[in-house]
Amino acid sequence: MFLPRPLKSGDTIAICSPAGPANIENVEAAVPVLEQQGWAVKVMPHALGNAGLYSGSADERFDDLYNAFADPEVRAILCSRGGYGVVHNLERLASLPLQGDPKWVIGFSDISALHALMASKGIPSIHASMAQHIRIGADDPDNAALFDMLRGGRPSFSFPSHPYDRPGVADGILLGGNLAVLAGLIGTPFDILKGDTVLFIEDVSEPIYKIERILYQLKLKGVLPTLRALIVGQFTDYKLDASYCDMETMIRDMTSAYAYPVVFNAPIGHVGHNIPVLENIHVTLKVTDTGQNHLIYWK
């Protein structure tokens, strides 16, 4: 494992937009929140650009990430937003010496592809909120937990249990993110959907049958039966279908044959309360029937 070092006062956070065009107001409002933590902020040259569906051309987006990774003063890279487009630069980014000076990568949604890249290099990263949420301020619990992680903290999280939860305790490497994005990387060097892991999943605007199709793909691939545990985050803005009234019931049925712990309704995903998740590191997951579930990071 190539663990990025904790941030200290004076370290620089680079803001990049490797996918969709950033909301400029969100970025401008997030900058002083980060600066108040004692960090310098560098908004990369194309981070506020707009080129149709993207913040810039693939070359422009690559240049921003390349320069952020290459700058020894930059200790963390905060993605301004998700969208689509990270996949355009995965091959070129994979050729960089990322392990020589590992940096924190922060974001979610399409940024799951960047997390997959970092995991392929053995580098932990943080699945967490981006500029739109950081602008709320340091008093927000999710922002406070993220800033603690960046400083080297390992906060634990508790959240209410769900009727479909399957109790148990599991230890293992935590990997995951946006399920549709990660499914698009199956069979590539950036495929992190594998067995013998603690997997967390979330998604937005995907019909139930499409998520079921991905889970069947993982079943046939031998992943779903061999997980150590499954964390089901938030699936939002989807349409019901004729077979299932909600996403959770489908996922319960898809995992009913397996004995590992499963926790539902974790606050991870495209929602206001989106806890930061430290990826590619050992965790202990405790799923209880006492009303609270706990995700505990190993130090």
Side-chain angles (χ1 to χ4, degrees), residues 8-185:
K8 62 181 186 298
S9 182
D11 281 341
T12 298
I13 296 178
I15 297 181
C16 294
S17 301
N23 180 302
I24 295 176
E25 291 183 359
N26 285 341
V27 173
E28 291 177 342
V31 168
V33 175
L34 297 171
E35 291 176 337
Q36 289 163 9
Q37 298 301 303
W39 301 317
V41 180
K42 184 176 183 179
V43 179
M44 300 306 287
H46 305 101
L48 303 182
N50 192 317
L53 192 62
Y54 314 109
S55 65
S57 68
D59 286 343
E60 289 171 336
R61 287 176 281 135
F62 172 77
D63 286 345
D64 278 0
L65 285 170
Y66 171 82
N67 289 315
F69 279 119
D71 187 343
E73 294 185 358
V74 171
R75 305 316 314 161
I77 297 171
L78 171 67
C79 299
S80 69
R81 60 155 292 181
Y84 168 71
V86 171
V87 69
H88 297 157
N89 285 310
L90 284 183
E91 285 184 291
R92 287 196 285 179
L93 291 169
S95 69
L96 302 180
L98 303 176
Q99 297 161 327
D101 183 22
K103 305 170 191 290
W104 293 110
V105 169
I106 308 158
F108 75 108
S109 193
D110 195 56
I111 309 308
S112 293
L114 264 186
H115 293 308
L117 165 70
M118 302 306 283
S120 75
K121 299 293 186 179
I123 304 172
S125 57
I126 305 177
H127 181 282
S129 297
M130 299 176 279
Q132 182 179 11
H133 193 85
I134 287 175
R135 69 175 294 176
I136 296 174
D139 292 335
D140 175 81
D142 297 328
N143 287 341
L146 170 60
F147 299 160
D148 183 30
M149 279 186 184
L150 289 172
R151 292 189 173 97
R154 296 292 181 266
S156 61
F157 297 99
S158 297
F159 42 88
S161 59
H162 186 277
Y164 292 166
D165 288 347
R166 188 157 60 231
V169 178
D171 295 327
I173 296 292
L174 181 65
L175 291 167
N178 183 270
L179 188 56
V181 171
L182 296 178
L185 298 175

Side-chain angles (χ1 to χ4, degrees), residues 200-244:
F200 73 95
I201 57 175
E202 63 84 25
D203 220 315
V204 60
S205 301
E206 292 288 347
I208 294 175
Y209 81 91
K210 287 190 176 181
I211 298 299
E212 183 187 55
R213 182 165 60 194
I214 295 171
L215 293 180
Y216 262 104
Q217 189 176 9
L218 296 183
K219 178 181 179 180
L220 297 173
K221 187 173 181 268
V223 172
L224 204 60
T226 58
L227 293 175
R228 294 197 177 193
L230 177 65
I231 300 171
V232 182
Q234 301 299 304
F235 286 79
T236 54
D237 297 337
Y238 62 87
K239 293 182 179 180
L240 306 183
D241 65 22
S243 295
Y244 286 103

Side-chain angles (χ1 to χ4, degrees), residues 269-292:
H270 292 71
V271 287
H273 177 28
N274 178 29
I275 63 173
V277 178
L278 188 58
E279 294 207 48
N280 198 34
I281 199 166
H282 274 92
V283 298
T284 298
L285 173 70
K286 298 182 179 180
V287 184
T288 73
D289 54 7
T290 61
Q292 291 290 320

